Amino acid sequence: MIAAPEIPTDFTLLQESETHFSSDTDFEDIEGKNQKQGKGKTCKKGKKGPAEKGKSGNGGGKPGGPNRMNGHHQQNGVENMMLFEVVKMGKSAMQSVVDDWIESYKHDRDIALLDLINFFIQCSGCKGVVTAEMFRHMQNSEIIRKMTEEFDEDSGDYPLTMAGPQWKKFKSSFCEFIGVLVRQCQYSIIYDEYMMDTVISLLTGLSDSQVRAFRHTSTLAAMKLMTALVNVALNLSINMDNTQRQYEAERNKIIGKRANDRLELLLQKRKELQENQDEIENMMNAIFKGVFVHRYRDAIAEIRAICIEEIGIWMKMYSDAFLNDSYLKYVGWTMHDKQGEVRLKCLTALQGLYYNKELNSKLELFTSRFKDRIVSMTLDKEYDVAVQAIKLLTLVLQSSEEVLTAEDCENVYHLVYSAHRPVAVAAGEFLYKKLFSRRDPEDDGIVKRRGRQSPNANLVKTLVFFFLESELHEHAAYLVDSMWDCATDLLKDWECMNSLLLEEPLNGEEPLTDRQESALIEIMLCTIRQAAECHPPVGRGTGKRVLTAKEKKTQLDDRTKITELFAVALPQLLAKYSVDAEKVTNLLQLPQYFDLEIYTTGRLEKHLDALLRQIRDIVEKHTDIDVLEACSKTYQALCNEEFTIFNRVDIARSQLIDELADKFNRLLEDFLQEGEEPDEDDAYQVLSTLKRITAFHNAHDLSRWDLFGCNYKLLKTGIENGDMPEQIVIHALQCTHYVILWQLAKITESSSTKEDLLRLKKQMRVFCQICQHYLTNVNTAVKEQAFTILCDVLMIFSHQIMTGGRDMLEPLVYTPDSSLQSELLSFILDHVFIDQDDDNNSADGQQDDEASKIEALHKRRNLLAAFCKLIVYTVVEMNTAADIFKQYMKYYNDYGDIIKETMSKTRQIDKIQCAKTLILSLQQLFNEMIQENGYNFDRSSPTFSGIKELARRFALTFGLDQLKTREAIAMLHKDGIEFAFKEPNPQGESHPPLNLAFLDILSEFSSKLLRQDKRTVYVYLEKFMTFQMSLRREDVWLPLMSYRNSLLAGGDDDTMSVISGISSRGSTVRNKKTKPATGKRKVPEAEESSSSDSMWLNREQTMHTPVMMQTPQLTSTIMREPKRLRPEESYMGVYPMQPEHHQAPLDYKQQEEAARQQQERAAMNYVKLRTNLQHAIRRGTSLMEDDEEPIVEDVMMSSEGRIEDLNEGMDFDTMDIDLPPSKNRRERTELKPDFFDPASIMDESVLGVSMF
């Protein structure tokens, strides 16, 4: 269809003869195998040579000569970028801008083209200017090379990527300018064999540039130019068809009426149109082959996206020419792109094609070839891509239902349960189109029927069947939300749902099973909730949004409709399903969404009475907690003092509670007075009545029934006898808890007397004592209930109760004594920090079941969180947290997040006390190890190494800001030193203190000390040392030597001991985070603080880099090269000298001994230096590779592996573009002219596959 024009050689990269090939020809035929002699003009006039340029137009000496361009004065032949400025502002009408340029072109086309060339250069962000002299005498490739040299490589921004209001609309204005330019020139100028040839050559050359700005801008311009030419070609095609029809009509006339002159005119017009179309085809072919086939696989995702977006427009706009497999294959290939934005453009391009059903026949082969890829993209990691893939499949489904298999559809069905709402909504629309949009022909006659006979009846059943078949998902609320936008009428047909539940099935109709009825009730409840609340379920939205006026009106109308229907139907539904706990629980939630005013305005009081009677019957029949709580919440919803029905409901509620309270007191009296063991029937009656009262007390204030006394007697008897049934104790504790909370709420909300405060205080403290007794109960469930309630009560009645100006509640503040704190901590240690296999506390003992294990872990996490909350709010002493903190490493997977957050909160409260707690936890672990292994333990043992690793983790939690944690770290070292020297060795001072090995653990915190604090801590350490200790060199004294070195090293050697530290650290990566040797001189403190940047650098080096010689200078770094040490200097100058101590002067021998010790320390440090230097050499190559200075643009892309099958092996959506190592400045001159890898996006094995 499209032939390549003969573009002038000095402005083109394509030096081929004219080509013309049919619409089904592959445009990727770069070698010219399909080239033929074009029709029409056989010899194209090329661009004028340099000698002829000055003679074009009106001549070089006219007003359009070298000193004027577009009528604007020039300086040194440089034009003033007027086009770029106008397009950048985007304020003027683009039509007038283009018209002005056309007038300039007619006046002097060289000058106007120079203006246009500089416009494209300027739009690329290049500061260089193409002068008239360059335009006359330089080849196009030379001009581009010159502009590349003048391009500002230091800045990565250019107009298409710049931020700010002035650049926000630049892209649209730029594209509009190109479109208007072609539209205004479509009748004459574009056929002059000069303007379009020059522009296409320029854009083709720029699009092959290594500079990203040139490549991006020129590709966008070329693609928009191509789109405009496609539009011109389409118009030409239409005009040719019209002319042909007119010619045929005129020729078919009889000879007497035939106008030969008109025939000749029509024939001439058709010939001109054909020539113009050939010319346009040549231009499009040049752009497609010169730009598109290279740039659709560019290294930059934005450029690839531009190409795919535009080819989609071409296929949609001019389907007869472009909608064939030769062009569709590019979209199919690019669906495997590594970047989501490119895959997204592919899908949106295809949506525009599949939306037009007339084009479906041309897409059959493409659909069969790439359908599997589209289906797989519904699970794309980019949610936007997944949404568009589902929408595309919906269009495919509408075009032909036979294309998608049942498996393909099922892959989309399950996405209705996705947590990402746009994905779920798109999947819901697909589901609706597939299963619910079709209607039987006989349904047309019953559209006006309602209820069970309505057309929606079968659709509702289909929805229920689908919900039950999706066994992996049991969340009806998510299914309803997914289909809410597309199936609103179906989901709001509550009358039909109600009829399916209440009415008998019609003749020949199968009734709903029990499971189907339960599913229908759950779906019905979810639809009512969605209509009444107008927001998605939990996890599907960012929160409640503000409703529009229209949405509020719809909400009110729906609530009215719901109330009018179910105020009458709900009592009937409850009566029918009264014995089914699951159905009743869901049905009882409906009144929460009623408009209660309708009970009065609609004269529905008798139906309200019927509802209250049904609720009362359900309370008497059921003992299930969920059912009873649903009844309680229903009474709470109906007992609204704003409505006139309040008195009626309140009376019914009071009668029910009266009967329950009287029955409970009567049963309890008989139950407690029996001298023998309680009868099982009596125990069941007490438990069932207590369950009902507890459920109602959760939502209602039952203070006037004085339930504290009877519950207290029940619990006290259980403590005395020890044979109280487990469930009775659990519910009695919960009910008593509710009693206390309701009394506290009553006192807080209204003015109360002193007697009320004292009574509540007494009840609360008695209740805490009862809970404390039950912490030692033999039954685990009872202990867990007592612990949870006790933590809640202690939290509520802590000093926090007085916040917010409630000082009158000060008498209620309760602080637990040490015994209670100890019992709470013991419970945590015994029931939380246990192995999974040891936890046999489930009711059925099914710990092997994975779900039971997860539930048990969730329960233990809640117990730990309850106790940690007491620590955080200082209800219990902070030092009790030591037993929690020491479990950090052992139970990191289960409770690491809770313990870490507790550390953070306690540090915010009191940094020093938190540090003392951390060191206390390490001391406890050290003592436990001593008790287990004795004092002669192996410091390379896993137990000791584990304690050191825990200390390292603790040190990391202090962060990088040493000033904030200065006092806390110093106090930590003080306590650690005291602990290490606390137990002297019974064998005398010549033997190390029993806890001296703890200094090896303490050295993990040395890196957190400031330099001046290290000196202070060292002085404090020497108070505990004797002169003989400083002279010892045996292995048992290594912890002291290691700790002293960490304090003397000035922050360079923060943790590592000489022998044991290396052995215990062998399996860790700690040495990669320590400080490299900088070899710099010691500077005064004031000089160190002179620059914030240098301070940060020093601090970062202190925290993270090992003791080693200076690493090789890295390219692209901000660090200043430190002074290099000579090997013979050892490391004597790096470490500060020991501070002077207040001791007696040493004699000559002692001085020699001190000098010898210092030499030994220097030798040991030098050994470490050599070891770390070897590590640095080993990884030096990778460091250099990672830190090489990048060139301005690296457009080469590597492809990993080979792809055997296009649809199965190409999983690009989970990969990122990998670029090869950048070339440094010395290697830039070695770059080859062709900067692009043919397999930059996909492997050659893919590109070589015959797709169709």
Side-chain angles (χ1 to χ4, degrees):
M1 177 202 83
I2 298 176
E6 183 180 349
I7 301 177
T9 56
D10 59 341
F11 260 80
T12 184
L13 298 179
L14 295 175
Q15 300 181 8
E16 300 177 354
S17 60
E18 279 184 62
T19 60
H20 180 88
F21 42 96
S22 60
S23 60
D24 60 348
T25 303
D26 188 348
F27 276 175
E28 208 169 1
D29 181 23
I30 300 178
E31 288 78 6
K33 295 179 182 180
N34 296 327
Q35 293 179 0
K36 299 178 182 179
Q37 182 68 35
K39 295 181 180 180
K41 301 177 183 180
T42 59
C43 182
K44 306 284 183 182
K45 291 180 65 179
K47 180 180 174 182
K48 295 179 184 292
E52 298 177 320
K53 288 183 180 178
K55 302 177 182 179
S56 63
N58 294 328
K62 304 286 180 164
N67 293 326
R68 290 183 64 85
M69 296 182 185
N70 280 354
H72 303 292
H73 290 284
Q74 307 298 312
Q75 294 179 359
N76 299 324
V78 179
E79 51 95 13
N80 60 3
M81 303 300 176
M82 194 62 187
L83 277 179
F84 173 73
E85 295 297 333
V86 172
V87 172
K88 184 177 72 171
M89 290 187 296
K91 296 179 180 179
S92 303
M94 207 59 67
Q95 182 90 20
S96 61
V97 176
V98 173
D99 289 342
D100 291 343
W101 184 87
I102 292 175
E103 288 299 322
S104 173
Y105 184 82
K106 292 177 180 178
H107 186 72
D108 189 324
R109 64 182 189 178
D110 284 341
I111 300 301
L113 268 182
L114 183 59
D115 196 0
L116 190 60
I117 290 171
N118 279 304
F119 166 72
F120 288 119
I121 298 295
Q122 187 76 359
C123 288
S124 301
C126 180
K127 303 302 182 183
V129 176
V130 180
T131 63
E133 188 69 19
M134 295 168 59
F135 182 62
R136 289 193 185 95
H137 301 291
M138 295 178 66
Q139 298 293 325
N140 184 43
S141 57
E142 296 174 344
I143 292 176
I144 295 176
R145 189 179 303 112
K146 179 69 174 176
M147 293 299 101
T148 303
E149 293 172 357
E150 296 184 8
F151 203 93
D152 182 11
E153 295 185 0
D154 296 332
S155 174
D157 291 334
Y158 48 95
L160 289 182
T161 61
M162 284 183 181
Q166 63 173 340
W167 304 108
K168 197 171 184 180
K169 296 183 179 180
F170 174 79
K171 181 178 179 180
S172 60
S173 299
F174 178 69
C175 298
E176 182 186 1
F177 172 80
I178 296 173
V180 174
L181 177 64
V182 175
R183 187 176 72 239
Q184 293 300 102
C185 299
Q186 65 177 318
Y187 299 110
S188 60
I189 296 180
I190 62 173
Y191 305 112
D192 68 356
E193 305 172 15
Y194 184 62
M195 187 269 280
M196 291 301 295
D197 291 354
T198 304
V199 172
I200 293 174
S201 296
L202 173 72
L203 296 179
T204 303
L206 288 174
S207 68
D208 202 33
S209 172
Q210 187 186 6
V211 179
R212 170 177 175 169
F214 279 151
R215 213 165 64 251
H216 188 181
T217 307
S218 59
T219 301
L220 176 62
M223 294 299 98
K224 290 300 179 181
L225 185 64
M226 177 79 168
T227 302
L229 291 175
V230 170
N231 190 45
V232 173
L234 179 61
N235 292 333
L236 287 174
S237 177
I238 295 173
N239 290 333
M240 283 184 62
D241 292 341
N242 293 337
T243 304
Q244 182 67 26
R245 282 195 300 269
Q246 292 174 6
Y247 177 80
E248 295 292 340
E250 189 67 29
R251 193 179 62 175
N252 291 335
K253 292 180 181 180
I254 60 177
I255 299 177
K257 294 184 179 181
R258 184 185 305 168
N260 293 328
D261 295 340
R262 178 171 172 79
L263 284 174
E264 292 180 3
L265 289 175
L266 290 173
L267 195 60
Q268 181 65 25
K269 181 179 179 182
R270 188 180 66 175
K271 183 179 180 181
E272 293 177 359
L273 290 173
Q274 182 64 49
E275 291 177 354
N276 290 342
Q277 189 176 45
D278 293 342
E279 191 74 22
I280 295 297
E281 287 177 353
N282 292 337
M283 298 175 194
M284 292 192 298
N285 181 63
I287 296 175
F288 192 86
K289 294 182 65 176
V291 180
F292 180 88
V293 295
H294 299 292
R295 299 283 69 78
Y296 91 96
R297 56 191 181 197
D298 192 275
I300 305 302
E302 293 92 331
I303 298 177
R304 303 198 299 272
I306 289 171
C307 294
I308 296 303
E309 182 179 14
E310 295 304 315
I311 197 175
I313 295 175
W314 309 336
M315 290 187 290
K316 183 179 179 181
M317 181 188 298
Y318 198 178
S319 58
D320 292 339
F322 288 95
L323 188 55
N324 56 65
D325 300 330
S326 297
Y327 300 99
L328 281 169
K329 66 181 181 182
Y330 294 106
V331 181
W333 286 339
T334 315
M335 282 196 295
H336 299 273
D337 196 279
K338 303 173 185 179
Q339 294 298 319
E341 62 177 304
V342 184
R343 301 194 298 272
L344 187 64
K345 292 296 183 184
C346 294
L347 295 172
T348 53
L350 292 173
Q351 286 175 13
L353 302 177
Y354 281 97
Y355 184 79
N356 187 352
K357 294 185 178 181
E358 298 177 357
L359 306 178
N360 290 341
S361 60
K362 299 182 179 181
L363 293 167
E364 290 180 356
L365 183 58
F366 175 85
T367 304
S368 63
R369 190 69 183 88
F370 291 99
K371 179 199 66 175
D372 293 340
R373 173 58 184 162
I374 299 174
V375 173
S376 68
M377 292 174 76
T378 60
L379 299 176
D380 197 278
K381 65 177 183 178
E382 302 286 346
Y383 285 125
D384 293 340
V385 177
V387 170
Q388 298 305 322
I390 298 171
K391 290 183 177 180
L392 177 58
L393 288 177
T394 305
L395 294 174
V396 174
L397 179 68
Q398 290 176 333
S399 63
S400 176
E401 294 189 1
E402 292 77 16
V403 174
L404 298 179
T405 63
E407 184 180 359
D408 295 333
C409 295
E410 289 174 1
N411 288 333
V412 182
Y413 289 162
H414 75 275
L415 294 176
V416 297
Y417 298 101
S418 171
H420 190 260
R421 192 169 192 272
V423 171
V425 170
E429 185 177 358
F430 178 89
L431 174 65
Y432 182 76
K433 297 289 185 184
K434 178 65 177 176
L435 300 181
F436 301 97
S437 60
R438 292 175 296 176
R439 184 172 290 178
D440 296 334
E442 63 247 15
D443 291 344
D444 296 337
I446 58 173
V447 173
K448 296 183 180 180
R449 296 183 183 179
R450 304 171 66 181
R452 197 180 190 98
Q453 297 181 354
S454 70
N456 284 337
N458 290 330
L459 299 181
V460 171
K461 291 181 181 178
T462 304
L463 181 62
V464 172
F465 298 156
F466 173 81
F467 176 60
L468 292 176
E469 288 177 3
S470 54
E471 298 176 355
L472 297 177
H473 305 280
E474 300 177 353
H475 306 290
Y478 293 90
L479 173 61
V480 168
D481 180 59
S482 300
M483 301 182 62
W484 191 254
D485 296 336
C486 60
T488 307
D489 294 337
L490 171 63
L491 297 178
K492 288 186 179 181
D493 195 350
W494 298 300
E495 185 177 356
C496 176
M497 299 179 189
N498 183 58
S499 300
L500 289 173
L501 291 171
L502 289 178
E503 297 179 5
E504 294 297 325
L506 303 175
N507 293 333
E509 182 183 4
E510 292 186 5
L512 295 176
T513 64
D514 180 71
R515 188 161 171 257
Q516 291 170 353
E517 287 179 337
S518 298
L520 177 55
I521 291 175
E522 186 176 358
I523 291 174
M524 183 176 68
L525 170 63
C526 294
T527 59
I528 292 173
R529 182 190 296 118
Q530 184 98 355
E533 295 181 349
C534 289
H535 65 79
V538 177
R540 275 275 179 91
T542 57
K544 293 183 179 180
R545 60 184 181 85
V546 179
L547 302 180
T548 63
K550 183 179 180 180
E551 290 173 336
K552 288 182 179 179
K553 184 179 183 303
T554 303
Q555 182 186 32
L556 293 175
D557 293 343
D558 288 340
R559 291 190 66 183
T560 301
K561 181 180 177 182
I562 292 168
T563 308
E564 291 175 347
L565 175 62
F566 288 101
V568 178
L570 184 57
Q572 303 174 32
L573 292 169
L574 290 175
K576 181 177 180 179
Y577 302 109
S578 59
V579 296
D580 192 316
E582 181 184 1
K583 296 184 179 69
V584 166
T585 302
N586 286 327
L587 289 171
L588 284 171
Q589 298 181 47
L590 298 184
Q592 300 176 29
Y593 310 106
F594 284 1
D595 182 3
L596 300 181
E597 190 65 32
I598 295 180
Y599 272 114
T600 304
T601 58
R603 299 179 180 273
L604 302 176
E605 288 86 354
K606 63 177 182 179
H607 298 289
L608 176 62
D609 294 337
L611 175 61
L612 295 175
R613 287 194 300 270
Q614 290 299 328
I615 296 176
R616 182 189 181 97
D617 292 342
I618 291 171
V619 171
E620 294 175 354
K621 291 179 181 178
H622 290 271
T623 58
D624 185 84
I625 294 297
D626 293 335
V627 176
L628 295 175
E629 288 185 352
C631 292
S632 176
K633 291 179 180 178
T634 302
Y635 273 113
Q636 182 187 26
L638 296 175
C639 287
N640 193 328
E641 297 181 2
E642 297 180 1
F643 301 99
T644 55
I645 64 172
F646 170 74
N647 292 331
R648 189 186 298 262
V649 180
D650 186 49
I651 291 173
R653 179 184 61 177
S654 299
Q655 291 176 350
L656 177 61
I657 301 300
D658 280 338
E659 293 182 7
L660 291 175
D662 292 343
K663 182 179 180 181
F664 180 63
N665 289 326
R666 187 175 63 255
L667 291 172
L668 187 62
E669 186 176 353
D670 297 338
F671 183 71
L672 296 179
Q673 283 182 353
E674 295 182 3
E676 54 189 26
E677 293 185 2
D679 184 72
E680 290 186 2
D681 292 337
D682 294 339
Y684 175 78
Q685 291 293 330
V686 172
L687 176 60
S688 59
T689 307
L690 183 57
K691 278 184 176 181
R692 297 184 179 104
I693 293 176
T694 303
F696 273 85
H697 211 346
N698 187 11
H700 303 272
D701 184 7
L702 308 183
S703 301
R704 55 177 172 160
W705 282 275
D706 192 18
L707 297 172
F708 182 85
C710 52
N711 280 289
Y712 174 72
K713 284 192 277 185
L714 185 62
L715 293 171
K716 187 176 180 181
T717 304
I719 293 174
E720 294 172 352
N721 299 335
D723 57 354
M724 189 67 65
E726 165 192 333
Q727 290 298 316
I728 292 181
V729 175
I730 290 175
H731 286 88
L733 288 171
Q734 190 67 56
C735 186
T736 310
H737 186 209
Y738 290 149
V739 171
I740 292 175
L741 293 183
W742 275 109
Q743 290 185 10
L744 176 62
K746 194 174 182 180
I747 291 175
T748 305
E749 295 173 359
S750 60
S751 57
S752 57
T753 62
K754 187 175 182 180
E755 290 74 13
D756 294 334
L757 285 173
L758 293 177
R759 183 171 64 253
L760 176 58
K761 178 181 178 181
K762 181 179 178 182
Q763 291 179 353
M764 179 265 297
R765 301 209 170 193
V766 169
F767 180 58
C768 287
Q769 293 175 1
I770 291 176
C771 291
Q772 185 174 356
H773 280 292
Y774 277 107
L775 280 178
T776 57
N777 194 276
V778 293
N779 191 282
T780 303
V782 173
K783 287 191 285 188
E784 290 177 352
Q785 178 79 333
F787 177 84
T788 304
I789 291 177
L790 196 53
C791 288
D792 288 344
V793 172
L794 292 176
M795 188 68 226
I796 293 170
F797 289 93
S798 68
H799 55 87
Q800 304 283 340
I801 198 174
M802 296 187 298
T803 58
R806 293 177 295 186
D807 295 335
M808 71 283 189
L809 300 180
E810 184 178 2
L812 298 178
V813 175
Y814 178 57
T815 302
D817 56 19
S818 58
S819 63
L820 177 56
Q821 295 184 33
S822 177
E823 288 191 40
L824 291 173
L825 180 60
S826 299
F827 176 87
I828 288 294
L829 297 178
D830 294 340
H831 293 83
V832 174
F833 295 109
I834 57 176
D835 294 332
Q836 188 76 263
D837 298 334
D838 297 338
D839 185 15
N840 298 318
N841 300 327
S842 63
D844 300 325
Q846 299 177 348
Q847 282 302 309
D848 293 337
D849 184 15
E850 193 66 26
S852 300
K853 290 182 178 181
I854 295 175
E855 184 178 356
L857 176 61
H858 183 67
K859 183 188 296 183
R860 294 197 299 272
R861 284 175 58 86
N862 287 337
L863 294 174
L864 178 61
F867 184 74
C868 288
K869 192 186 297 183
L870 299 180
I871 298 173
V872 169
Y873 286 93
T874 65
V875 177
V876 298
E877 297 293 336
M878 191 179 294
N879 56 13
T880 58
D883 291 276
I884 307 295
F885 293 163
K886 70 183 182 182
Q887 311 288 347
Y888 182 62
M889 289 292 296
K890 184 176 181 181
Y891 295 95
Y892 181 81
N893 291 334
D894 292 341
Y895 318 115
D897 55 336
I898 299 176
I899 299 176
K900 188 174 182 180
E901 184 66 17
T902 306
M903 288 184 198
S904 175
K905 295 295 184 182
T906 51
R907 184 173 292 117
Q908 294 175 15
I909 297 171
D910 190 338
K911 294 184 179 66
I912 295 179
Q913 188 60 36
C914 176
K916 293 171 74 70
T917 305
L918 291 177
I919 200 67
L920 176 62
S921 65
L922 295 174
Q923 292 170 4
Q924 291 178 357
L925 288 174
F926 186 83
N927 287 331
E928 292 172 4
M929 181 189 66
I930 294 297
Q931 293 176 2
E932 181 178 352
N933 301 321
Y935 289 102
N936 296 323
F937 62 90
D938 182 6
R939 282 186 289 118
S940 62
S941 64
T943 305
F944 187 75
S945 300
I947 301 176
K948 288 196 67 176
E949 178 63 19
L950 179 61
R952 188 183 73 84
R953 294 289 189 95
F954 284 169
L956 291 176
T957 62
F958 283 93
L960 299 177
D961 195 338
Q962 294 174 306
L963 291 176
K964 287 185 178 180
T965 59
R966 180 180 183 182
E967 296 181 358
I969 292 294
M971 185 60 66
L972 184 146
H973 280 271
K974 175 179 178 295
D975 288 358
I977 292 172
E978 292 174 353
F979 176 78
F981 291 92
K982 181 178 180 181
E983 298 289 339
N985 198 308
Q987 300 180 20
E989 292 185 358
S990 60
H991 294 81
L994 299 179
N995 295 337
L996 187 67
F998 189 78
L999 292 179
D1000 209 1
I1001 299 171
L1002 190 60
S1003 62
E1004 296 287 345
F1005 298 93
S1006 296
S1007 62
K1008 298 299 179 180
L1009 285 169
L1010 292 176
R1011 183 172 300 177
Q1012 56 268 37
D1013 293 339
K1014 287 187 177 183
R1015 299 191 188 100
T1016 305
V1017 172
Y1018 183 83
V1019 171
Y1020 188 75
L1021 173 66
E1022 292 213 330
K1023 292 182 179 179
F1024 295 85
M1025 294 172 53
T1026 62
F1027 178 71
Q1028 288 76 11
M1029 290 182 183
S1030 62
L1031 300 179
R1032 293 293 179 179
R1033 290 293 177 272
E1034 293 84 356
D1035 287 347
V1036 291
W1037 293 95
L1038 284 177
L1040 178 59
M1041 297 166 57
S1042 172
Y1043 186 55
R1044 291 180 66 195
N1045 287 340
S1046 69
L1047 297 178
L1048 293 173
D1052 291 335
D1053 186 8
D1054 57 341
T1055 58
M1056 191 176 295
S1057 62
V1058 179
I1059 297 176
S1060 63
I1062 295 177
S1063 62
S1064 66
R1065 201 178 300 271
S1067 60
T1068 69
V1069 294
R1070 177 77 189 280
N1071 54 359
K1072 297 181 181 179
K1073 299 182 180 179
T1074 52
K1075 178 185 175 181
T1078 58
K1080 59 187 177 183
R1081 62 183 175 83
K1082 181 179 176 183
V1083 296
E1085 296 291 334
E1087 183 180 343
E1088 288 185 273
S1089 60
S1090 61
S1091 169
S1092 59
D1093 292 339
S1094 62
M1095 180 184 296
W1096 169 253
L1097 184 61
N1098 292 335
R1099 183 185 306 161
E1100 186 178 41
Q1101 290 173 341
T1102 302
M1103 292 299 301
H1104 296 290
T1105 52
V1107 178
M1108 54 185 289
M1109 289 184 67
Q1110 167 205 345
T1111 56
Q1113 178 81 18
L1114 302 183
T1115 313
S1116 299
T1117 178
I1118 62 169
M1119 292 190 296
R1120 181 177 301 172
E1121 183 178 1
K1123 178 182 177 182
R1124 185 184 300 273
L1125 282 182
R1126 295 188 300 273
E1128 60 270 16
E1129 290 180 19
S1130 74
Y1131 252 65
M1132 292 289 293
V1134 176
Y1135 300 108
M1137 297 297 293
Q1138 295 185 16
E1140 296 182 358
H1141 310 302
H1142 300 285
Q1143 297 179 356
L1146 302 177
D1147 58 17
Y1148 179 74
K1149 292 184 179 181
Q1150 291 175 338
Q1151 291 178 359
E1152 284 186 342
E1153 179 66 18
R1156 186 183 62 80
Q1157 295 175 19
Q1158 196 165 4
Q1159 291 177 355
E1160 288 178 355
R1161 285 196 296 271
M1164 287 187 291
N1165 288 327
Y1166 186 71
V1167 171
K1168 299 177 200 174
L1169 160 70
R1170 294 291 301 274
T1171 303
N1172 289 322
L1173 184 57
Q1174 292 173 0
H1175 291 303
I1177 293 173
R1178 292 192 189 103
R1179 55 176 196 262
T1181 305
S1182 62
L1183 286 173
M1184 291 299 293
E1185 289 177 353
D1186 292 342
D1187 291 273
E1188 281 183 334
E1189 184 176 0
I1191 59 177
V1192 65
E1193 180 64 42
D1194 187 356
V1195 296
M1196 303 290 292
M1197 297 181 59
S1198 63
S1199 54
E1200 298 180 3
R1202 291 290 175 180
I1203 301 175
E1204 301 298 332
D1205 183 81
L1206 183 63
N1207 294 318
E1208 295 179 2
M1210 301 186 68
D1211 192 17
F1212 283 96
D1213 55 343
T1214 59
M1215 300 169 62
D1216 295 324
I1217 293 179
D1218 357 62
L1219 298 176
S1222 301
K1223 297 183 179 296
N1224 58 28
R1225 295 184 184 275
R1226 293 189 302 273
E1227 296 172 319
R1228 289 186 188 180
T1229 56
E1230 301 174 4
L1231 291 174
K1232 297 180 180 180
D1234 185 9
F1235 304 113
F1236 300 96
D1237 183 0
S1240 59
I1241 309 303
M1242 292 161 289
D1243 287 4
E1244 293 177 358
S1245 59
V1246 180
L1247 298 177
V1249 172
S1250 177
M1251 301 305 303
F1252 302 101

